[in-house]
Amino acid sequence: MHDAEALGERYGVDARTARLLSEYGFDPDVFDRLRAEFIDGSVRAGSGAMAEANWVRGRIEPPRDGDLVRLPPTGSPERKRLDLAGREAIAAGHVGVLLLAGGMATRFGGGVKALAEIIPPLTFADVKIADLQQLASELDCAIPLVLMSSFQSDSALRRWAASAGDGARVPVAIAPQGISMRLSTDGGLFRDRHGVVSLHAPGHGDAPWAMRHSGVLQQFARSGGRHLFVTNVDNAAATLDPAVIGAHLAAQRPLTCEVVPGHAAGGAPWRVDGRLQIVEAFRLPPGVDPLATGATNTNSLIADVEVFEADWPLTWFEVRKVADGTEVVQFERLIGELSAFVDTTMLLVDRDGTDGRFQPVKDPQELEARRPEIARILAARGVTTGG
């Protein structure tokens, strides 16, 4: 942890900003390097998220036949076998859940998205813990739940965790992600209308670092944890399905990424120089058809503990945002890029229907549109009535 007073002097920021930077693990050496690269133009080779420096290097090809492994349909003998294997692993205490609940929630009015009502009176976080409580009760075990918070959501999530459910069945821990400062397009520190340096959370690629930095990963591993199911808190359909855990175990690879048929903004499975991995759309160079894969990343994954224990060199991407009506620059990492470093299974799951696992909600309007389908999916799994 870097001293708040020293950070305040180094960057000319107020005491509160310096304290937040220190408390949430700001790394001045990384920041200064990225800022210098941006200023001298080595990062700013293009415009915003389409900057050439963000492009994938190498031979880019769509998935080959057999690259996408279909989750067997509910009721099939193979699905039952995977379900049993997953239940055994969960009951043995080998599986934990990490909810990506950080970020800035700007599209939810700056409130904490995890605590927004999805099916009144239940919030996104309530639905997630109800799912785990139900399964833990069925299996007579404990399922640890970790929330990756941000400086924006940390206090509220800690209050929620202190009062949420049965700590014996679903013990809740918090692993805060990092923090950084926005830049103006000329490379200077961006200050808001009040003259305060604008802070941001640097992406869900912080998850492995947050788990290690908080000590939660080490505690999970010491208690026998082997696998982490990771998902966005705003994707209520991504419940802890034992069959998905079973599919991860059966594949015998350290990482499994859930993908769905069709297309959406974000990442997709590609082969880069022969390695199957998740690549975000903004990383595709001109001439590559982003629709060629026929599948979309859900940002739900299962990672063996060893994947999170390693300090993989995840890329810092230049991202353009608008703050106070002004274009700003920030640097973010993406968790899907873990697939560039370890062997990965691309598990093809349903998007919709009672077996659907991808109903992402980015803003209140999308919540209103998706709420009926989300309610049907959760009701079919007994989530809203269980726990």
mmCIF file with all atom_site columns, all heavy atoms in Angstrom, residues 332-344:
data_model
loop_
_atom_site.group_PDB
_atom_site.id
_atom_site.type_symbol
_atom_site.label_atom_id
_atom_site.label_alt_id
_atom_site.label_comp_id
_atom_site.label_asym_id
_atom_site.label_entity_id
_atom_site.label_seq_id
_atom_site.pdbx_PDB_ins_code
_atom_site.Cartn_x
_atom_site.Cartn_y
_atom_site.Cartn_z
_atom_site.occupancy
_atom_site.B_iso_or_equiv
_atom_site.pdbx_formal_charge
_atom_site.auth_seq_id
_atom_site.auth_comp_id
_atom_site.auth_asym_id
_atom_site.auth_atom_id
_atom_site.pdbx_PDB_model_num
ATOM 1   N N   . GLU A 1 332 ? -8.041  0.022   -18.513 1.00 0.00 ? 332 GLU A N   1
ATOM 2   C CA  . GLU A 1 332 ? -8.777  -1.083  -17.911 1.00 0.00 ? 332 GLU A CA  1
ATOM 3   C C   . GLU A 1 332 ? -8.190  -2.424  -18.349 1.00 0.00 ? 332 GLU A C   1
ATOM 4   O O   . GLU A 1 332 ? -7.607  -2.543  -19.428 1.00 0.00 ? 332 GLU A O   1
ATOM 5   C CB  . GLU A 1 332 ? -10.255 -1.033  -18.316 1.00 0.00 ? 332 GLU A CB  1
ATOM 6   C CG  . GLU A 1 332 ? -10.971 0.240   -17.896 1.00 0.00 ? 332 GLU A CG  1
ATOM 7   C CD  . GLU A 1 332 ? -12.446 0.233   -18.281 1.00 0.00 ? 332 GLU A CD  1
ATOM 8   O OE1 . GLU A 1 332 ? -12.918 -0.807  -18.800 1.00 0.00 ? 332 GLU A OE1 1
ATOM 9   O OE2 . GLU A 1 332 ? -13.116 1.264   -18.070 1.00 0.00 ? 332 GLU A OE2 1
ATOM 10  N N   . ARG A 1 333 ? -8.411  -3.433  -17.492 1.00 0.00 ? 333 ARG A N   1
ATOM 11  C CA  . ARG A 1 333 ? -8.070  -4.818  -17.831 1.00 0.00 ? 333 ARG A CA  1
ATOM 12  C C   . ARG A 1 333 ? -9.342  -5.644  -17.900 1.00 0.00 ? 333 ARG A C   1
ATOM 13  O O   . ARG A 1 333 ? -10.343 -5.325  -17.251 1.00 0.00 ? 333 ARG A O   1
ATOM 14  C CB  . ARG A 1 333 ? -7.125  -5.401  -16.778 1.00 0.00 ? 333 ARG A CB  1
ATOM 15  C CG  . ARG A 1 333 ? -5.781  -4.714  -16.725 1.00 0.00 ? 333 ARG A CG  1
ATOM 16  C CD  . ARG A 1 333 ? -4.837  -5.378  -15.737 1.00 0.00 ? 333 ARG A CD  1
ATOM 17  N NE  . ARG A 1 333 ? -5.237  -5.182  -14.341 1.00 0.00 ? 333 ARG A NE  1
ATOM 18  C CZ  . ARG A 1 333 ? -4.522  -5.576  -13.302 1.00 0.00 ? 333 ARG A CZ  1
ATOM 19  N NH1 . ARG A 1 333 ? -3.373  -6.197  -13.494 1.00 0.00 ? 333 ARG A NH1 1
ATOM 20  N NH2 . ARG A 1 333 ? -4.943  -5.366  -12.073 1.00 0.00 ? 333 ARG A NH2 1
ATOM 21  N N   . LEU A 1 334 ? -9.301  -6.739  -18.668 1.00 0.00 ? 334 LEU A N   1
ATOM 22  C CA  . LEU A 1 334 ? -10.479 -7.572  -18.904 1.00 0.00 ? 334 LEU A CA  1
ATOM 23  C C   . LEU A 1 334 ? -10.212 -8.997  -18.444 1.00 0.00 ? 334 LEU A C   1
ATOM 24  O O   . LEU A 1 334 ? -9.191  -9.605  -18.795 1.00 0.00 ? 334 LEU A O   1
ATOM 25  C CB  . LEU A 1 334 ? -10.833 -7.581  -20.391 1.00 0.00 ? 334 LEU A CB  1
ATOM 26  C CG  . LEU A 1 334 ? -11.073 -6.198  -21.013 1.00 0.00 ? 334 LEU A CG  1
ATOM 27  C CD1 . LEU A 1 334 ? -11.225 -6.323  -22.523 1.00 0.00 ? 334 LEU A CD1 1
ATOM 28  C CD2 . LEU A 1 334 ? -12.300 -5.554  -20.407 1.00 0.00 ? 334 LEU A CD2 1
ATOM 29  N N   . ILE A 1 335 ? -11.134 -9.557  -17.666 1.00 0.00 ? 335 ILE A N   1
ATOM 30  C CA  . ILE A 1 335 ? -10.914 -10.885 -17.104 1.00 0.00 ? 335 ILE A CA  1
ATOM 31  C C   . ILE A 1 335 ? -10.891 -11.972 -18.179 1.00 0.00 ? 335 ILE A C   1
ATOM 32  O O   . ILE A 1 335 ? -10.212 -12.983 -18.047 1.00 0.00 ? 335 ILE A O   1
ATOM 33  C CB  . ILE A 1 335 ? -11.970 -11.199 -16.020 1.00 0.00 ? 335 ILE A CB  1
ATOM 34  C CG1 . ILE A 1 335 ? -11.548 -12.432 -15.207 1.00 0.00 ? 335 ILE A CG1 1
ATOM 35  C CG2 . ILE A 1 335 ? -13.360 -11.367 -16.636 1.00 0.00 ? 335 ILE A CG2 1
ATOM 36  C CD1 . ILE A 1 335 ? -12.399 -12.674 -13.987 1.00 0.00 ? 335 ILE A CD1 1
ATOM 37  N N   . GLY A 1 336 ? -11.621 -11.750 -19.272 1.00 0.00 ? 336 GLY A N   1
ATOM 38  C CA  . GLY A 1 336 ? -11.635 -12.760 -20.326 1.00 0.00 ? 336 GLY A CA  1
ATOM 39  C C   . GLY A 1 336 ? -10.279 -13.015 -20.950 1.00 0.00 ? 336 GLY A C   1
ATOM 40  O O   . GLY A 1 336 ? -10.049 -14.072 -21.552 1.00 0.00 ? 336 GLY A O   1
ATOM 41  N N   . GLU A 1 337 ? -9.361  -12.046 -20.796 1.00 0.00 ? 337 GLU A N   1
ATOM 42  C CA  . GLU A 1 337 ? -8.031  -12.219 -21.383 1.00 0.00 ? 337 GLU A CA  1
ATOM 43  C C   . GLU A 1 337 ? -7.224  -13.300 -20.673 1.00 0.00 ? 337 GLU A C   1
ATOM 44  O O   . GLU A 1 337 ? -6.182  -13.741 -21.185 1.00 0.00 ? 337 GLU A O   1
ATOM 45  C CB  . GLU A 1 337 ? -7.258  -10.895 -21.375 1.00 0.00 ? 337 GLU A CB  1
ATOM 46  C CG  . GLU A 1 337 ? -6.082  -10.905 -22.337 1.00 0.00 ? 337 GLU A CG  1
ATOM 47  C CD  . GLU A 1 337 ? -5.158  -9.702  -22.191 1.00 0.00 ? 337 GLU A CD  1
ATOM 48  O OE1 . GLU A 1 337 ? -5.372  -8.874  -21.282 1.00 0.00 ? 337 GLU A OE1 1
ATOM 49  O OE2 . GLU A 1 337 ? -4.207  -9.602  -22.995 1.00 0.00 ? 337 GLU A OE2 1
ATOM 50  N N   . LEU A 1 338 ? -7.687  -13.780 -19.512 1.00 0.00 ? 338 LEU A N   1
ATOM 51  C CA  . LEU A 1 338 ? -7.028  -14.934 -18.894 1.00 0.00 ? 338 LEU A CA  1
ATOM 52  C C   . LEU A 1 338 ? -6.935  -16.097 -19.859 1.00 0.00 ? 338 LEU A C   1
ATOM 53  O O   . LEU A 1 338 ? -5.995  -16.905 -19.809 1.00 0.00 ? 338 LEU A O   1
ATOM 54  C CB  . LEU A 1 338 ? -7.803  -15.371 -17.641 1.00 0.00 ? 338 LEU A CB  1
ATOM 55  C CG  . LEU A 1 338 ? -7.734  -14.456 -16.418 1.00 0.00 ? 338 LEU A CG  1
ATOM 56  C CD1 . LEU A 1 338 ? -8.714  -14.937 -15.355 1.00 0.00 ? 338 LEU A CD1 1
ATOM 57  C CD2 . LEU A 1 338 ? -6.321  -14.395 -15.854 1.00 0.00 ? 338 LEU A CD2 1
ATOM 58  N N   . SER A 1 339 ? -7.911  -16.190 -20.758 1.00 0.00 ? 339 SER A N   1
ATOM 59  C CA  . SER A 1 339 ? -7.944  -17.302 -21.722 1.00 0.00 ? 339 SER A CA  1
ATOM 60  C C   . SER A 1 339 ? -6.791  -17.249 -22.711 1.00 0.00 ? 339 SER A C   1
ATOM 61  O O   . SER A 1 339 ? -6.531  -18.235 -23.411 1.00 0.00 ? 339 SER A O   1
ATOM 62  C CB  . SER A 1 339 ? -9.280  -17.307 -22.470 1.00 0.00 ? 339 SER A CB  1
ATOM 63  O OG  . SER A 1 339 ? -9.490  -16.078 -23.141 1.00 0.00 ? 339 SER A OG  1
ATOM 64  N N   . ALA A 1 340 ? -6.096  -16.111 -22.797 1.00 0.00 ? 340 ALA A N   1
ATOM 65  C CA  . ALA A 1 340 ? -4.927  -16.022 -23.677 1.00 0.00 ? 340 ALA A CA  1
ATOM 66  C C   . ALA A 1 340 ? -3.709  -16.699 -23.068 1.00 0.00 ? 340 ALA A C   1
ATOM 67  O O   . ALA A 1 340 ? -2.713  -16.920 -23.770 1.00 0.00 ? 340 ALA A O   1
ATOM 68  C CB  . ALA A 1 340 ? -4.613  -14.554 -23.982 1.00 0.00 ? 340 ALA A CB  1
ATOM 69  N N   . PHE A 1 341 ? -3.783  -17.036 -21.778 1.00 0.00 ? 341 PHE A N   1
ATOM 70  C CA  . PHE A 1 341 ? -2.617  -17.560 -21.075 1.00 0.00 ? 341 PHE A CA  1
ATOM 71  C C   . PHE A 1 341 ? -2.763  -19.007 -20.623 1.00 0.00 ? 341 PHE A C   1
ATOM 72  O O   . PHE A 1 341 ? -1.753  -19.666 -20.342 1.00 0.00 ? 341 PHE A O   1
ATOM 73  C CB  . PHE A 1 341 ? -2.313  -16.679 -19.857 1.00 0.00 ? 341 PHE A CB  1
ATOM 74  C CG  . PHE A 1 341 ? -2.044  -15.250 -20.213 1.00 0.00 ? 341 PHE A CG  1
ATOM 75  C CD1 . PHE A 1 341 ? -3.036  -14.286 -20.084 1.00 0.00 ? 341 PHE A CD1 1
ATOM 76  C CD2 . PHE A 1 341 ? -0.811  -14.858 -20.701 1.00 0.00 ? 341 PHE A CD2 1
ATOM 77  C CE1 . PHE A 1 341 ? -2.800  -12.966 -20.416 1.00 0.00 ? 341 PHE A CE1 1
ATOM 78  C CE2 . PHE A 1 341 ? -0.557  -13.533 -21.043 1.00 0.00 ? 341 PHE A CE2 1
ATOM 79  C CZ  . PHE A 1 341 ? -1.559  -12.588 -20.913 1.00 0.00 ? 341 PHE A CZ  1
ATOM 80  N N   . VAL A 1 342 ? -4.003  -19.498 -20.497 1.00 0.00 ? 342 VAL A N   1
ATOM 81  C CA  . VAL A 1 342 ? -4.204  -20.872 -20.027 1.00 0.00 ? 342 VAL A CA  1
ATOM 82  C C   . VAL A 1 342 ? -5.177  -21.591 -20.954 1.00 0.00 ? 342 VAL A C   1
ATOM 83  O O   . VAL A 1 342 ? -6.004  -20.965 -21.619 1.00 0.00 ? 342 VAL A O   1
ATOM 84  C CB  . VAL A 1 342 ? -4.743  -20.909 -18.578 1.00 0.00 ? 342 VAL A CB  1
ATOM 85  C CG1 . VAL A 1 342 ? -3.766  -20.239 -17.622 1.00 0.00 ? 342 VAL A CG1 1
ATOM 86  C CG2 . VAL A 1 342 ? -6.108  -20.245 -18.478 1.00 0.00 ? 342 VAL A CG2 1
ATOM 87  N N   . ASP A 1 343 ? -5.071  -22.911 -21.010 1.00 0.00 ? 343 ASP A N   1
ATOM 88  C CA  . ASP A 1 343 ? -5.981  -23.708 -21.835 1.00 0.00 ? 343 ASP A CA  1
ATOM 89  C C   . ASP A 1 343 ? -7.412  -23.500 -21.355 1.00 0.00 ? 343 ASP A C   1
ATOM 90  O O   . ASP A 1 343 ? -7.700  -23.593 -20.153 1.00 0.00 ? 343 ASP A O   1
ATOM 91  C CB  . ASP A 1 343 ? -5.611  -25.190 -21.765 1.00 0.00 ? 343 ASP A CB  1
ATOM 92  C CG  . ASP A 1 343 ? -4.310  -25.493 -22.498 1.00 0.00 ? 343 ASP A CG  1
ATOM 93  O OD1 . ASP A 1 343 ? -3.908  -24.666 -23.339 1.00 0.00 ? 343 ASP A OD1 1
ATOM 94  O OD2 . ASP A 1 343 ? -3.702  -26.537 -22.218 1.00 0.00 ? 343 ASP A OD2 1
ATOM 95  N N   . THR A 1 344 ? -8.299  -23.245 -22.293 1.00 0.00 ? 344 THR A N   1
ATOM 96  C CA  . THR A 1 344 ? -9.651  -22.824 -21.955 1.00 0.00 ? 344 THR A CA  1
ATOM 97  C C   . THR A 1 344 ? -10.696 -23.639 -22.711 1.00 0.00 ? 344 THR A C   1
ATOM 98  O O   . THR A 1 344 ? -10.561 -23.884 -23.906 1.00 0.00 ? 344 THR A O   1
ATOM 99  C CB  . THR A 1 344 ? -9.848  -21.331 -22.294 1.00 0.00 ? 344 THR A CB  1
ATOM 100 O OG1 . THR A 1 344 ? -8.870  -20.554 -21.590 1.00 0.00 ? 344 THR A OG1 1
ATOM 101 C CG2 . THR A 1 344 ? -11.234 -20.852 -21.912 1.00 0.00 ? 344 THR A CG2 1
#
